[in-house]
């Protein structure tokens, strides 16, 4: 319903956080990869979105969460909500070897010793999202290689690319992303693939060498811009020598470091962002005042913050890559 508004802003692509049926509002705990979450709409709504977006020159990029899924899904079924036998319910489940189990007294899952004798590996310890065994051929077939795999299915349904959640996680085996790339290229040679990788490290650099994913979310740009413009310390998000104010020369050096590190194909298609679903809002970060007590919502402080936002926005819109606006950013959401 708001595509005209987005078109007026000059938007040419929409990256959605996960839109598949999930167990929570963040939607990174997928329950069904083949179904649009009913809180968002229906398959018909998806088809209409793609159709009307294409008419306006707007492409849709989906969030691929292939590392973990919901414990409350038919695959795992920790709570016995489904007719099929999930991996947590029985050793005989067809999905048992899709996950990693270990013995634990009073655990939530069944094991050789009976019910409630095993637990499982979960991403960052969050038991709502058990980790998938990506080395398992059946898992790779489901997500990648099957003629109707999740990767192929949604490209065929009108998606123009994938952003891959936690793609740098070491549990993805050698060859996984190379296979993914081949599958995507076979389905749509024009489809864009974006890595969720953050800091400058070998994982990020290996991901965009040319045989895995096309480009990355440019959190290095965000970190540099905040260092230049944030009026006080900010969340470093794991970046080394961060969370502090930078000299203009330091800011320029960090931009040059990105240019030196990345091949042209990745550099000229970088997802240049200043905030995202995994960070606090840009306006909040660059507004002077303490976190608590309402200081950042006072008129004078907020005016200073908005001036910093305008200056910050100039940077990704004048650099190579794809300037990215977090939904609501353009309206001053804090």
């Amino acid at each position: 319903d708001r595509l005209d508004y987005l078109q007026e802003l000059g938007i040419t692509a929409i990256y959605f956080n996960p839109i598949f049926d999930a167990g929570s509002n963040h939607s990174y705990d997928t329950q069904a990869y083949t179904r649009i979450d009913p809180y968002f709409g229906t398959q018909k709504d998806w088809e209409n979105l793609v159709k009307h977006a294409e008419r306006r020159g707007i492409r849709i990029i989906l969030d691929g969460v292939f590392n973990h899924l919901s414990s409350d899904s038919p695959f795992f079924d920790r709570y016995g909500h489904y007719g099929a036998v999930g991996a947590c319910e029985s050793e005989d489940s067809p999905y048992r070897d899709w996950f990693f189990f270990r013995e634990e007294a009073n655990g939530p899952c069944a094991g050789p010793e009976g019910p409630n004798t095993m637990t499982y590996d979960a991403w960052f310890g969050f038991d709502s999202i058990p980790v998938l065994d990506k080395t398992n051929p059946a898992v790779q077939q489901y997500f990648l290689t099957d003629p109707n795999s999740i990767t192929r299915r949604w490209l065929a349904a009108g998606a123009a690319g994938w952003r891959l959640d936690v793609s740098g996680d070491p549990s993805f085996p050698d060859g996984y992303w190379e296979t993914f790339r081949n599958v995507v290229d076979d389905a749509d040679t024009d489809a864009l693939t974006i890595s969720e990788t953050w800091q400058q490290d070998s994982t990020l650099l290996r991901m965009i060498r040319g045989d895995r994913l096309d480009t990355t979310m440019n959190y290095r740009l965000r970190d540099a811009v905040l260092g230049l413009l944030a009026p006080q310390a900010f969340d470093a998000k794991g970046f080394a020598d961060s969370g502090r104010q930078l000299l203009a020369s330091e800011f320029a050096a960090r931009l040059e470091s990105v240019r030196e590190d990345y091949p042209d194909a990745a550099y000229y298609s970088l997802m240049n962002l200043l905030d995202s679903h995994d960070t606090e809002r840009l306006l909040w970060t660059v507004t002077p005042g303490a976190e608590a007590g309402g200081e950042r919502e006072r008129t004078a402080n907020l005016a200073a913050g908005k001036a910093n936002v305008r200056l910050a926005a100039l940077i990704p819109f004048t650099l190579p890559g794809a300037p990215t606006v977090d939904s609501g950013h353009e309206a001053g959401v804090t």
Side-chain angles (χ1 to χ4, degrees):
D1 292 343
R2 303 301 295 276
L3 286 173
D4 287 341
Y5 166 70
L6 296 180
Q7 186 178 19
E8 289 169 6
L9 287 179
I11 300 298
T12 57
I14 301 170
Y15 153 55
F16 282 109
N17 294 128
I19 63 171
F20 308 131
D21 194 5
S24 66
N25 64 341
H26 62 70
S27 296
Y28 283 90
D29 50 350
T30 310
Q31 294 173 320
Y33 289 89
T34 59
R35 180 181 179 221
I36 300 293
D37 195 300
Y39 283 101
F40 298 151
T42 64
Q43 185 69 25
K44 186 63 177 177
D45 290 323
W46 163 260
E47 292 166 3
N48 283 332
L49 170 65
V50 170
K51 178 176 68 176
H52 290 285
E54 283 183 349
R55 288 177 182 173
R56 293 166 173 81
I58 298 174
R59 300 188 183 191
I60 309 299
I61 295 175
L62 294 180
D63 204 327
V65 187
F66 298 170
N67 179 67
H68 47 262
L69 48 71
S70 175
S71 59
D72 190 17
S73 67
F75 300 101
F76 200 79
D77 205 11
R78 172 173 173 172
Y79 304 103
H81 289 165
Y82 302 92
V85 179
C88 186
E89 294 177 288
S90 171
E91 287 190 292
D92 296 326
S93 168
Y95 306 113
R96 183 70 174 194
D97 60 357
W98 284 33
F99 305 93
F100 302 95
F101 291 93
R102 60 184 184 278
E103 292 183 6
E104 181 177 286
N106 301 314
C109 296
E113 304 303 317
N116 305 116
T117 59
M118 300 197 83
T119 189
Y120 52 91
D121 291 352
W123 190 77
F124 262 72
F126 294 107
D127 65 358
S128 60
I129 42 178
V131 172
L132 288 155
D133 180 0
K134 279 82 66 181
T135 68
N136 187 323
V139 173
Q140 293 195 19
Q141 184 176 15
Y142 179 77
F143 286 102
L144 308 182
T145 58
D146 188 85
N148 195 33
S149 69
I150 298 306
T151 297
R152 293 181 188 273
R153 181 189 188 100
W154 289 102
L155 291 174
W162 288 98
R163 174 268 192 187
L164 289 312
D165 186 56
V166 298
S167 53
D169 193 277
S171 63
F172 285 99
D174 289 343
Y176 186 96
W177 292 121
E178 290 89 341
T179 300
F180 172 80
R181 183 184 186 90
N182 290 336
V183 168
V184 170
D185 285 347
D186 181 62
D188 179 2
T189 56
D190 200 34
L192 179 68
T193 59
I194 305 166
S195 177
E196 188 213 356
T197 29
W198 289 54
Q199 291 82 13
Q200 178 186 16
D201 61 14
S202 58
T203 300
L204 187 159
L205 299 177
R206 178 65 184 83
M207 196 66 69
I208 57 174
R209 194 172 69 181
D211 58 347
R212 295 188 180 187
L213 304 180
D214 295 322
T215 193
T216 186
M217 302 175 79
N218 195 4
Y219 280 105
R220 291 172 68 182
L221 173 65
R222 173 186 181 269
D223 184 68
V225 170
L226 294 186
L228 181 68
L229 295 175
Q232 59 259 318
F234 59 90
D235 183 358
K237 283 290 185 182
F239 279 82
D241 189 24
S242 180
R244 64 174 180 86
Q245 291 180 311
L246 297 177
L247 298 173
S249 57
E250 292 179 294
F251 167 76
R254 294 190 182 198
L255 293 192
E256 188 60 29
S257 178
V258 171
R259 180 67 190 99
E260 291 171 348
D261 284 346
Y262 298 166
D264 285 353
Y267 181 71
Y268 285 103
S269 58
L270 282 168
M271 184 176 174
N272 286 334
L273 51 88
L274 298 176
D275 51 4
S276 76
H277 63 288
D278 277 326
T279 73
E280 63 187 20
R281 289 275 184 180
L282 173 69
L283 177 57
W284 182 260
T285 311
V286 298
T287 297
E291 289 268 351
E295 284 190 28
R296 297 191 191 183
E297 286 148 1
R298 292 175 185 165
T299 302
N301 286 353
L302 190 56
K306 288 182 177 180
N308 282 333
V309 165
R310 292 187 185 98
L311 186 55
L314 180 67
I315 297 168
F317 277 92
T318 53
L319 282 176
T324 306
V325 179
D326 195 21
S327 179
H329 177 161
E330 81 288 356
V333 173
T334 58

